[in-house]
C-alpha cells in the first residue's frame, strides 16, 4: 500500500477567481487567470495566478515540487482543474550520478530551471499547494545571504544531461494576462530544437488541404518530434525509428481502430489522410500559428511511489533521482497494474484477490527519456553501468552500503558477516530491483514499447472526441532466466504514469489457475465473479479515474484452457473502446501464438513480439560484475569461465549467479586452510561447475553394491544377447546368476534379485514396469550402456 | 531354601539384564534413532549444516536437494543437521520448520493446508473459510513475500519424496517455493529429499531455473571393514549400561571375527550397502537372544540370514499338494521345451492361480474359453528345483521327473 493512504492530508478547497479569460470551444476549455486555495483551518486564502511560482504536492512533504504556473484551465464540466507549468528541480531530484556535474555543492535553497521536453507539464490543479518565491541569481553572482528560508534561488538550467547557465528570459512570466494560451505556447516553443529537416521539407511541400485541424492531434505529434529531437545524435537511428513509429502511430492506429466509428475508407484514403494531417501538423508546429495551441508533452517522467514496505529499502531512503511528477488527472493519475500469473491448480470458483500486492517492488525512479539516453548513448554507458551496481549494493547490503547515509532499518540479524557472505548476498538473485543493463537492446525496445503506448494513450486522453484505445499486446518470449521479468518490471516502472495523489496498486502476480486470471482490482472486496464482469467493472472505474492500465501476465502458457476463453478475454480487452489497457504477457515458449492459440485469440494479439535471446557470455559477465559492484572477489579468468560455460549451456542468468555463489562458498572453505589470494579462483569455479553440471549417474553406479553392479552388467549382457534395449527380469536374472557364479559369489535367489532390481529402479538407473509383473517385468536402462561400462570398468 | 532364593534372584537379575540389553539394541535397530554422528557422511553433513545455518542465522535463501538411494541416510542426515541447528538458541526461537512428505501431501491443496497448519497460521486464517486452493496460496505467498531478509523469521521447508511433488499439477507448489527462495523475500530454505537421480529432469523449465542446482549426493563409499566396524558399533552396549559386567562381556564377544559371520555380513554387504537391510538382519538376530543363551552367537546370525534371504515363492511351493506340484513340474518342462512360451491347461488349477504361481496372460483382446486361456508360470527353474529338494516326503519319481531333461 502506498504510504499516502496513511498520511494526514490537509483538505484544501480550490476556487477560480473571476471569470474565464478565454475559452477554447474545440477543446471545451475555459482558461482562468488565477485560482484561490483555501486551506481548512486557515482563515486566509492563497491565490495563485499565472506567472507565479508554485509548490506542487509531491512524494516528499518537505520538498514539494516547484514550478511556474503558465496556464490554468478547466474542462467543460468545470470540475477538473488543470494547470500547465514550467518545472524547476531541486538538487535532490537530479539523478545522483549526475549531481557531480554541478561541480560544487549546491546551495540548500537552490533550484534549477528544468528543461526537458519529455516531461509532462500538466498537473492537476488540485495538487497545487501554494505560492513560493523564486529569485533569479546570475551565474557569476554569489547566492544572496540572509534571506528567508522560503525563498528559492535559481541560477542554472538543468536539461537532464548537464547544468547550463539560465537565460533569465526563460524565467519571465511568459505572457501578459490578456492572451495566455498563445503566448505561453510561444515560450514553450522557444526552447524547442529545430525540427528534423526531412520533416520540415515534407511539411513545406505538403499541401494544406484542410482548414480545420485537431489541436490534440497536433500536440501529440509535436510532442513526439520534440522528444525524439532531444535525443543525442549518437542515438539518432533508434530515435528516428521510434519517432517514425510514434508520429505515424497514433493516427494510424486511430484510423485502424476496430471499434472506432470510422468511415469506410480505402487504404489509400487512410494513408492520405494521415499524411495530410501529418504535414499540417508539422507545419503548424513550426509556424506556431495555432490559436489554441496547447502543448501537451506526452513523454513523462516516471515517479514511483514507494510502498510502506519499500520504505525500509535503503534505495528508497536515498533514491537519488527524483524526477518531478505531473498529475494530469483530477483524482488519481495512476496506472493500475493488474497482475496475473497463471500458476495454480484448477479451482472451480474464481478468485478475486482483493488489494493483494504480492510483489510490490519499485525501482529507482528514472525518466523514460533519461533512460533511453543512457542506454543508447555509448558515452553514457559507463554511468549506466555503474549506477545499477550501486543500487544493487545499496539494496543488498543494508549494513555495508558505503553510500548510504540515511538511517537503515535495524536488522535483527547479525551484521557482522564475512566479506564472502556479503559477496554471496550480492550474488543472490533478485536481491531487489537492479537494472539488468546487460539486456541491452532488448530492454530498450521494451522500454520504448510501454511508454509509447502510454504516450499514445495520453494523447488520446486529451483528444476526447477521438477515443483512441491504446491497444497492443507485447508477447515477451523468453528463455528461462534471461531476465524477462526483470526487464519488464523495469519497464513497468518506467512506464508508470506520474501522479500526484497516488493510490497505486501494482499487483503483478501469477494467477493460480487460468480461471483465476482475474486481475486483482484495487480495493475490491466482492465475492467471486466472472472475470469478464470484473474487468468490465474495473474498466468503468478506471475510465472514471482516467487511468491507464498495464496488465502484466507472467507465464502465459499456463493460462491455456481448452476453449482458451481466458486468453481470448485477455487479448480482447484492449481492443475494446476506451480500454486504456496495455497487455504485456510473458511466456517462455518461442512460438506460443502459433502453437497453442486458436485463430480468434491469435488475431487479437498485437504485433509486437519481443524475443529474449539467452544471455551471451559477455552479458553474463557484465551481470556478475555489476552484482559484485567493484568488489574484487573473482579472478578475471574465473569469471570468464563461469560466464562462458553457462552461456554455452543455457544462458541462464540464475544458474550463472548460483554457480558464483557456490564458488564463493567453496573458496571460503578452502581459504581457511591454505590462504591463497583470497579471490575466487579457477579451481573453485571449476569445482562449483563440476558440482552443478556433472551427472550423478556414474558416481551412483560406482558407489552401488556389488550385486547391483552385477545386475547392471547382467542387464547389458542380456541386451547384447537379445539385440534389444529391453529385457524381462527373468532373462536378466538368468544372466545375473551366471555372473555371480563367474565372480565366485553365492548366487542370489529371485527375491534378492528382485530387491536389487527395484533398488536400481528407484534410483532411476533402470526404468521398470510395475513390480506386480514379477518375473516378466520389463527392464530398460536409463543410462547409456557406455556410461555403465565406463563406470564399472573404472572400478 | 536360602541358596535357592539367591539362585532365583541371580536368575532374575540375569534375565533382567539380558532383557534390558535386548531392548536397548532393538530400539537402536528399529526405532530409527538418530545416531550421534552420521557415518561416512562428514562432508555432506558439514555442507548441509553450513547451508541451513546461513538461512537460519543470516537470512540467506537457498534451495538444495539431497539425493541418494533408499536407505542411504538422507533423512538421518537431515535429522542430525536439524538437531545440531536447533541446539543453537537463536535458531531455535527463530526458525520455522515445515515438513512435507510427497506420499502424504499428494496434491498441492493438501500440501498447502499442511504448510498453513505447520506455520500455525490457522488462527490467522481462522474464520475465513479457505475453500479454494488459490486463496490459500495467495494468502501464504503474501505471508512469505511480505517479509524481507532482515526481519522475518526464516522458514525451512523439508520436502520428503521430492520427486512426487514434481508430479503435482503445474508444479505450483515447487514453483512458488523456489521462486520465494530465489528472491529476497522471507528467508526460505527448501530442502528436498529424493532417491531419484533424474529428479531435475522432472522439473518444468521455469521451476528448474529457479532451483539453485545444489545437490548433495549420498552415495556410500563404505568399504567392507568399515561396514564391519559399523556392525560392531551397532551391537555394542553403551558404557552407561547398568550392569558393567554384562556389557563388558557382551562387548568383548568375538562375534564379528567369526568366519561364518563375516561370510554372512559380506553377503549382506554385497547385496546392499545401506544400513536398513543390515538393521533388519541384526534385529532378527538380536531377537533370538533370550535368558537361556544371553549372548549373541553366530547361530543366531545364520538363522537370521536364512530367514532374510529365503526365497518367498519357494516357501509357497512347500505348501502344495503332490498333484499341484506335478502340475508345476509339467509347466516347468513346458517352459523348458518351448522356452517360456505361454501354455494352456484343460485342468482346473484354481489353487495355483490363487497362489499366483501361475497367472493368465493378460490379453484383454479376445474372450478365450476358460480351458484354453493362456497361462504363464511365475516361477524360475531353480525355484522349483529347490522346493522339490526340500519338499517333505516327495515321491522319488516326481523328483526324477523334475530332474529329467525331457518332459
Amino acid at each position: 500500500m502506498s504510504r499516502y493512504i496513511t498520511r494526514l492530508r490537509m483538505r484544501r478547497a480550490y476556487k477560480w477567481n473571476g471569470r474565464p479569460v478565454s475559452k477554447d470551444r474545440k477543446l471545451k476549455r475555459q482558461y482562468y487567470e488565477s485560482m484561490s486555495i483555501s486551506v481548512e483551518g486557515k482563515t486566509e486564502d492563497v491565490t495563485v495566478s499565472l506567472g507565479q511560482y508554485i509548490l506542487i504536492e509531491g512524494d516528499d512533504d518537505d520538498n514539494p515540487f516547484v514550478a511556474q504556473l503558465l496556464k490554468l484551465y478547466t474542462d467543460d464540466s468545470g470540475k477538473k482543474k488543470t494547470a500547465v507549468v514550467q518545472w524547476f528541480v531541486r538538487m535532490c531530484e537530479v539523478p545522483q550520478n549526475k549531481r557531480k556535474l554541478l561541480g560544487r555543492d549546491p546551495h540548500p535553497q537552490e533550484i534549477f530551471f528544468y528543461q526537458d521536453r519529455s516531461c509532462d507539464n500538466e498537473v492537476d490543479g488540485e495538487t497545487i499547494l501554494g505560492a513560493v518565491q523564486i529569485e533569479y541569481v546570475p551565474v557569476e553572482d554569489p547566492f544572496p545571504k540572509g534571506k528567508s528560508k522560503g525563498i528559492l534561488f535559481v541560477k542554472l538550467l538543468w536539461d537532464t544531461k548537464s547544468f547550463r547557465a539560465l537565460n533569465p528570459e526563460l524565467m519571465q512570466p511568459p505572457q501578459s494576462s490578456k492572451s495566455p494560451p498563445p503566448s505561453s505556447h510561444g515560450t514553450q516553443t522557444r526552447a524547442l530544437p529545430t525540427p528534423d529537416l526531412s520533416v520540415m521539407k515534407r511539411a513545406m511541400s505538403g499541401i494544406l488541404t484542410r482548414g480545420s485541424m485537431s489541436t490534440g492531434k497536433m500536440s501529440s505529434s509535436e510532442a513526439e518530434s520534440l522528444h525524439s529531437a532531444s535525443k543525442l545524435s549518437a542515438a539518432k537511428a533508434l530515435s528516428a525509428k521510434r519517432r517514425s513509429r510514434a508520429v505515424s502511430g497514433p493516427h494510424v492506429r486511430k484510423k485502424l481502430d476496430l471499434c472506432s466509428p470510422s468511415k469506410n475508407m480505402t487504404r489509400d484514403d487512410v494513408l492520405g489522410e494521415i499524411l495530410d494531417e501529418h504535414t499540417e501538423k508539422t507545419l503548424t508546429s513550426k509556424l506556431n500559428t495555432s490559436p489554441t495551441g496547447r502543448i501537451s508533452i506526452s513523454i513523462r517522467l516516471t515517479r514511483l511511489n514507494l510502498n510502506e514496505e519499500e520504505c525500509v529499502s535503503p534505495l528508497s531512503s536515498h533514491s537519488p533521482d527524483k524526477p518531478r511528477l505531473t498529475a494530469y488527472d483530477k483524482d488519481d493519475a495512476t496506472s493500475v497494474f493488474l497482475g496475473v500469473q497463471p500458476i495454480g491448480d484448477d479451482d472451480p470458483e474464481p478468485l478475486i484477490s482483493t488489494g493483494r500486492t504480492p510483489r510490490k517492488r519499485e525501482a529507482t525512479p528514472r525518466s523514460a527519456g533519461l533512460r533511453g539516453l543512457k542506454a543508447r548513448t555509448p558515452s553514457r554507458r559507463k554511468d549506466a553501468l555503474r549506477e545499477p551496481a550501486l543500487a544493487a549494493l545499496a539494496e543488498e547490503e543494508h549494513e555495508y552500503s558505503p553510500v548510504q547515509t540515511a538511517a537503515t532499518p535495524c536488522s535483527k540479524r547479525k551484521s557482522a558477516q564475512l566479506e564472502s557472505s556479503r559477496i554471496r548476498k550480492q550474488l543472490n538473485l533478485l536481491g531487489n530491483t537492479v537494472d539488468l543493463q546487460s539486456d541491452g537492446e532488448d530492454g530498450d525496445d521494451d522500454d520504448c514499447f510501454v511508454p509509447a503506448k502510454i504516450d499514445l494513450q495520453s494523447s488520446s486522453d486529451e483528444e476526447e472526441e477521438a477515443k483512441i484505445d491504446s491497444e497492443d499486446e507485447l508477447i515477451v518470449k523468453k528463455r528461462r532466466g534471461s531476465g524477462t521479468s526483470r526487464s519488464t518490471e523495469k519497464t513497468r516502472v518506467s512506464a508508470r504514469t506520474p501522479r500526484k495523489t497516488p493510490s497505486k496498486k501494482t499487483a503483478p502476480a501469477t494467477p493460480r489457475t487460468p480461471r483465476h486470471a482475474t486481475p486483482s482490482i484495487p480495493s475490491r472486496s466482492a465475492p467471486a465473479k466472472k472475470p469478464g464482469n470484473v474487468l468490465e467493472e474495473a474498466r468503468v472505474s478506471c475510465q472514471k479515474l482516467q487511468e491507464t492500465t498495464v496488465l502484466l501476465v507472467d507465464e502465459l502458457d499456463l493460462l491455456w484452457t481448452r476453449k482458451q476463453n481466458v486468453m481470448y478475454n485477455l487479448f480482447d480487452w484492449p481492443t475494446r473502446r476506451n480500454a486504456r489497457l496495455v497487455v504485456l504477457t510473458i511466456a517462455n515458449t518461442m512460438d506460443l501464438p502459433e502453437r497453442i492459440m486458436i485463430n480468434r485469440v491469435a488475431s487479437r494479439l498485437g504485433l509486437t513480439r519481443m524475443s529474449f535471446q539467452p544471455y551471451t557470455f559477455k552479458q553474463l559477465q557484465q551481470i556478475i560484475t555489476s552484482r559484485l559492484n567493484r568488489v574484487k572477489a573473482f579472478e578475471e579468468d574465473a569469471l570468464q569461465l563461469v560466464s562462458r560455460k553457462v552461456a554455452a549451456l543455457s544462458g541462464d542468468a540464475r544458474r550463472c549467479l548460483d554457480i558464483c555463489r557456490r564458488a564463493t562458498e567453496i573458496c571460503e572453505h578452502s581459504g581457511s586452510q591454505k590462504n591463497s589470494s583470497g579471490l575466487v579462483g579457477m579451481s573453485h569455479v571449476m569445482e562449483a561447475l563440476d558440482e552443478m553440471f556433472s551427472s550423478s549417474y556414474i558416481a551412483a553406479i560406482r558407489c552401488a553394491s556389488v550385486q547391483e553392479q552385477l545386475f547392471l552388467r547382467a542387464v547389458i549382457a542380456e541386451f547384447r544377447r537379445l539385440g534389444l534395449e529391453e529385457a524381462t527380469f527373468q532373462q536378466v536374472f538368468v544372466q545375473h546368476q551366471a555372473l555371480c557364479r563367474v565372480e565366485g559369489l553365492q548366487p542370489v535367489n529371485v527375491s534378492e534379485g528382485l530387491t536389487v532390481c527395484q533398488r536400481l529402479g528407484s534410483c532411476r538407473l533402470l526404468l521398470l514396469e510395475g513390480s506386480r509383473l514379477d518375473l516378466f517385468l520389463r527392464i530398460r536402462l536409463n543410462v547409456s550402456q557406455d556410461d555403465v561400462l565406463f563406470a564399472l570398468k573404472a572400478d | 531354601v536360602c541358596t535357592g532364593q539367591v539362585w532365583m534372584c541371580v536368575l532374575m537379575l540375569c534375565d533382567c539384564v539380558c532383557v534390558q540389553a535386548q531392548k536397548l539394541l532393538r530400539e537402536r535397530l528399529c526405532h530409527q534413532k538418530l545416531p550421534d554422528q552420521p557415518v561416512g557422511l562428514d562432508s555432506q553433513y558439514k555442507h548441509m549444516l553450513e547451508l541451513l545455518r546461513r538461512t537460519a542465522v543470516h537470512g540467506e535463501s537457498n534451495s538444495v536437494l539431497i539425493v541418494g538411494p533408499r536407505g542411504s541416510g538422507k533423512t538421518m542426515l537431515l535429522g542430525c543437521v536439524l538437531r545440531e541447528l536447533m541446539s543453537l538458541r537463536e535458531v531455535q526461537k527463530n526458525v520455522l520448520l515445515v515438513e512435507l512428505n510427497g506420499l502424504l501431501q499428494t496434491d498441492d491443496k493438501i500440501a498447502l493446508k499442511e504448510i498453513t497448519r505447520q506455520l500455525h497460521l490457522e488462527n490467522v486464517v481462522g474464520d475465513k473459510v479457505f475453500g479454494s486452493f488459490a486463496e490459500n496460496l495467495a494468502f501464504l505467498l503474501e505471508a512469505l513475500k511480505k517479509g524481507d531478509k532482515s526481519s522475518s523469521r526464516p522458514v525451512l521447508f523439508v520436502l520428503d519424496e521430492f520427486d512426487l511433488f514434481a508430479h503435482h499439477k503445474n508444479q505450483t507448489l515447487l514453483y512458488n517455493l523456489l521462486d520465494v527462495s530465489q528472491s529476497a523475500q522471507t528467508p526460505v530454505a527448501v530442502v528436498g529429499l529424493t532417491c531419484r537421480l533424474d529428479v531435475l529432469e522432472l522439473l518444468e523449465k521455469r521451476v528448474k531455473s529457479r532451483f539453485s542446482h545444489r545437490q548433495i549426493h549420498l552415495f556410500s563409499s563404505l568399504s567392507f571393514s568399515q561396514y564391519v566396524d559399523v556392525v560392531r558399533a551397532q551391537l555394542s552396549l553403551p558404557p552407561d549400561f547398568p550392569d558393567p559386567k554384562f556389557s563388558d562381556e557382551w562387548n568383548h564377544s568375538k562375534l564379528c571375527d567369526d568366519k561364518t559371520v563375516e561370510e554372512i555380513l559380506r553377503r549382506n554387504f554385497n547385496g546392499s550397502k545401506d544400513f536398513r537391510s543390515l538393521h533388519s538382519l541384526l534385529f532378527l538376530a538380536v531377537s533370538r537372544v533370550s535368558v537361556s543363551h544371553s549372548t549373541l552367537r553366530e547361530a543366531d546370525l545364520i538363522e537370521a540370514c536364512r530367514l532374510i534371504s529365503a526365497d518367498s515363492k519357494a516357501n509357497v511351493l512347500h505348501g502344495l499338494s503332490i498333484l499341484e506340484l506335478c502340475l508345476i513340474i509339467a509347466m516347468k518342462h513346458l517352459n523348458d521345451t518351448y522356452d517360456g512360451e505361454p501354455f494352456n491347461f484343460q485342468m482346473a488349477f484354481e489353487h495355483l492361480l490363487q497362489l499366483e504361481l501361475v497367472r493368465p496372460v493378460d490379453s484383454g483382446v479376445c474372450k478365450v474359453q476358460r480351458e484354453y486361456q493362456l497361462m504363464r508360470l511365475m516361477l524360475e527353474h531353480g525355484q522349483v528345483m529347490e522346493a522339490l529338494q526340500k519338499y517333505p516326503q516327495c515321491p522319488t519319481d516326481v523328483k526324477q521327473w523334475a530332474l529329467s531333461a525331457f518332459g
Side-chain angles (χ1 to χ4, degrees), chain B residues 236-260:
Chain B
S236 59
L237 292 172
D240 57 346
F241 191 74
D243 188 344
K245 189 160 154 274
F246 181 84
S247 74
D248 212 41
E249 203 175 306
W250 177 282
N251 289 346
H252 281 89
S253 71
K254 303 265 184 236
L255 183 72
C256 294
D257 303 332
D258 189 85
K259 230 351 187 255
T260 44

Side-chain angles (χ1 to χ4, degrees), chain A residues 96-97 310 313-321 362-366 374 383-398 401-404 425-426 430-437 486 625-630:
Chain A
Q96 194 149 38
N97 57 338
E310 286 296 316
S313 148
L315 180 68
S316 67
S317 58
H318 61 121
S319 65
D321 33 5
E362 338 256 81
T364 330
R366 191 171 296 144
K374 249 196 267 168
D383 279 357
L385 224 148
R386 192 157 52 231
E387 197 193 30
L390 263 175
L393 184 72
E395 286 151 5
E396 302 279 343
E397 293 298 298
H398 296 216
S401 169
V403 279
Q404 176 163 357
K425 269 194 178 177
Q426 279 173 23
L430 274 179
N432 262 327
T433 6
V434 179
D435 260 345
L436 287 186
Q437 287 296 332
R486 304 290 311 287
T625 22
S626 82
R627 286 307 179 97
L628 287 174
N629 179 39
R630 288 173 306 185

